[in-house]
C-alpha cells in the first residue's frame, strides 16, 4: 500500500452495502418483464452479458471511486481501474446473469474490498445482496459474517453438517464446453456419495447459502475473483473452510465445507476428479 494507514474494514463494508443496495435497486428497476435481451457474449455463446449488467457495474464503479478515488476496481464486465491505495474493489454487478435473463429469482450484486500489501493479498470486506429477494449478507475479515434483518445484523455461524452421505452440495458449471464436460463427469462421480447436488446459478449466493446452512458443501471449477471474493469471505467468516487445489481457492478449483465435514469431503472432491 502507498499509505501506512490500513483502511477501516467496517467502513469498507458500509460503502459496499450502500452501493450494493443502489445497484440492486437499479437492476430491479431496469429489468423488463419476461426474458431479458442479451447484449453480448463473452467466453462462449452461452456466457452472456446484458445492458443491465453494464449499467450496474458502471454505478458501482462510479460510486465507489467517487468515495475512494485512489482505490482500484476489478469488475466482471471489464471496467477495470488501476488504483494507488492498495485497496481494489472486486465486483460482480449481476452474479447469476443467466437467472436474471430468465427471471429465476437467484441473482446477486457481489462487492468485495481486497487489500494488497507486503504480506500479500486478502479480501477484507464483502457484501452480497440477492437482487430479487432482497436478502443481504456481509462480512469483514477477522470480524465475522452477518445476514441483515432490516437494519439489524444477525451474526452467521455455519451449523454442524450432517454426515457426508446426507450432505447437500452446491456446484456450478463453466461456460466453456471442454471445462463443463469435465465438471459434469466429476459431478456424476460425486452424486452417489452425497444427499444431492444443487446448481443454483450464482456462486456468490451458493457461498452465502453455505454460511447459513442452506447448503452443506460446495465445489466449482472456473470461478473468477468477482464470483468468489465477497461470498467466499462471508463463508469463511461464518466458519466454513474454503480451499483450492493446493492452497487458496482459484480459477482451477473452489471447494468449501464446514470443518467437521471438510477433510472427508475435500478428499471425495479430489477422488471424483474435480
Ligand atoms: C456465474 C455464476 C454461476 C457459476 C459460473 C459464474 P455470472 O457468474 O456465479 O453460478 O457457476 O461459474 O460464471 O456469469 O452469472 O456472473
Amino acid at each position: 500500500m502507498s499509505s501506512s494507514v490500513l483502511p477501516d474494514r467496517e467502513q469498507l463494508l458500509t460503502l459496499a452495502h450502500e452501493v450494493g443496495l443502489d445497484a440492486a435497486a437499479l437492476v430491479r428497476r431496469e429489468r423488463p418483464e419476461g426474458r431479458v435481451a442479451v447484449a453480448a457474449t463473452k467466453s462462449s455463446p452461452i456466457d452472456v452479458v446484458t445492458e443491465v449488467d453494464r449499467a450496474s457495474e458502471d454505478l458501482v464503479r462510479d460510486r465507489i471511486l467517487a468515495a475512494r478515488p485512489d482505490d482500484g476496481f476489478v469488475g466482471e464486465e471489464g471496467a477495470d481501474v488501476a488504483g494507488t491505495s492498495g485497496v481494489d474493489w472486486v465486483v460482480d454487478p449481476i452474479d447469476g446473469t443467466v437467472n436474471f435473463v430468465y427471471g429465476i429469482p437467484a441473482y446477486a450484486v457481489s462487492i468485495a474490498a481486497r487489500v494488497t500489501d507486503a504480506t500479500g493479498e486478502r479480501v477484507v470486506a464483502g457484501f452480497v445482496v440477492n437482487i430479487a429477494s432482497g436478502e443481504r449478507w456481509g462480512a469483514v475479515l477477522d470480524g465475522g459474517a452477518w445476514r441483515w434483518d432490516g437494519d439489524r445484523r444477525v451474526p452467521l455461524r455455519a451449523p454442524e453438517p450432517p454426515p457426508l452421505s446426507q450432505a447437500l452440495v452446491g456446484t456450478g458449471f463453466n461456460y466453456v464446453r471442454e471445462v463443463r464436460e469435465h465438471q459434469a463427469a466429476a459431478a456424476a462421480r460425486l452424486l452417489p456419495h452425497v444427499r444431492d447436488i444443487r446448481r443454483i446459478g450464482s456462486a456468490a449466493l451458493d457461498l452465502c447459502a453455505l454460511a447459513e446452512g442452506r447448503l452443506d458443501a460446495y465445489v466449482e471449477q472456473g470461478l473468477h475473483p468477482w464470483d468468489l471474493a465477497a461470498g467466499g469471505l462471508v463463508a469463511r467468516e461464518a466458519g466454513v473452510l474454503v480451499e483450492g487445489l493446493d492452497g487458496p481457492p482459484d480459477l482451477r478449483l473452489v471447494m468449501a465445507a464446514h470443518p467437521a465435514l471438510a477433510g472427508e469431503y475435500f478428499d471425495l472432491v479430489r477422488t471424483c476428479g474435480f
Side-chain angles (χ1 to χ4, degrees), residues 85-116:
S85 67
V87 178
D88 291 305
W89 294 85
V90 184
V91 172
D92 195 334
I94 303 181
D95 183 50
T97 299
V98 174
N99 286 344
F100 171 71
V101 166
Y102 281 76
I104 297 168
Y107 47 93
V109 178
S110 169
I111 301 179
R114 186 179 66 194
V115 165
T116 306

Side-chain angles (χ1 to χ4, degrees), residues 8-237:
D8 182 292
R9 295 169 184 181
E10 277 287 342
Q11 281 176 9
L12 297 175
L13 178 62
T14 300
L15 180 59
H17 182 256
E18 276 171 23
V19 173
L21 289 190
D22 286 351
L26 172 137
V27 173
R28 269 194 300 274
R29 206 169 50 239
E30 296 293 318
R31 190 181 188 287
E33 287 297 310
R35 189 81 58 92
V36 179
V38 168
T41 59
K42 297 183 286 184
S43 63
S44 82
I46 52 170
D47 184 6
V48 298
V49 58
T50 73
E51 290 301 342
V52 187
D53 291 78
R54 291 171 174 161
S56 175
E57 181 157 311
D58 287 349
L59 181 151
V60 175
R61 187 199 53 235
D62 294 352
R63 288 279 308 279
I64 285 182
L65 296 187
R68 297 184 50 91
D70 296 334
D71 291 357
F73 189 89
V74 181
E76 180 178 19
E77 308 314 336
D80 294 2
V81 175
T84 56
S85 67
V87 178
D88 291 305
W89 294 85
V90 184
V91 172
D92 195 334
I94 303 181
D95 183 50
T97 299
V98 174
N99 286 344
F100 171 71
V101 166
Y102 281 76
I104 297 168
Y107 47 93
V109 178
S110 169
I111 301 179
R114 186 179 66 194
V115 165
T116 306
D117 61 16
T119 65
E121 194 181 90
R122 57 207 178 277
V123 176
V124 298
F127 175 70
V128 176
V129 53
N130 180 330
I131 298 166
S133 71
E135 290 176 296
R136 289 166 285 156
W137 300 267
V140 295
L141 181 65
D142 300 328
W146 306 272
R147 84 163 11 254
W148 270 265
D149 177 8
D151 289 337
R152 208 164 59 92
R153 290 198 319 197
V154 181
L156 279 182
R157 222 45 228 164
E160 281 291 317
L164 185 56
S165 60
Q166 291 166 37
L168 187 61
V169 179
T171 194
F173 300 105
N174 197 259
Y175 296 116
V176 176
R177 180 178 171 156
E178 294 70 33
V179 181
R180 57 169 45 200
E181 276 174 356
H182 178 86
Q183 289 174 308
R189 288 190 284 269
L190 178 71
L191 185 57
H193 300 282
V194 297
R195 180 190 299 273
D196 210 339
I197 290 180
R198 290 288 179 272
R199 198 293 189 246
I200 291 169
S202 159
L205 293 178
D206 288 334
L207 289 159
C208 294
L210 199 53
E212 61 178 320
R214 288 177 179 170
L215 291 173
D216 298 309
Y218 177 73
V219 61
E220 182 152 358
Q221 293 169 301
L223 278 194
H224 294 282
W226 45 81
D227 301 311
L228 171 67
L233 184 65
V234 171
R236 277 197 302 275
E237 286 295 323

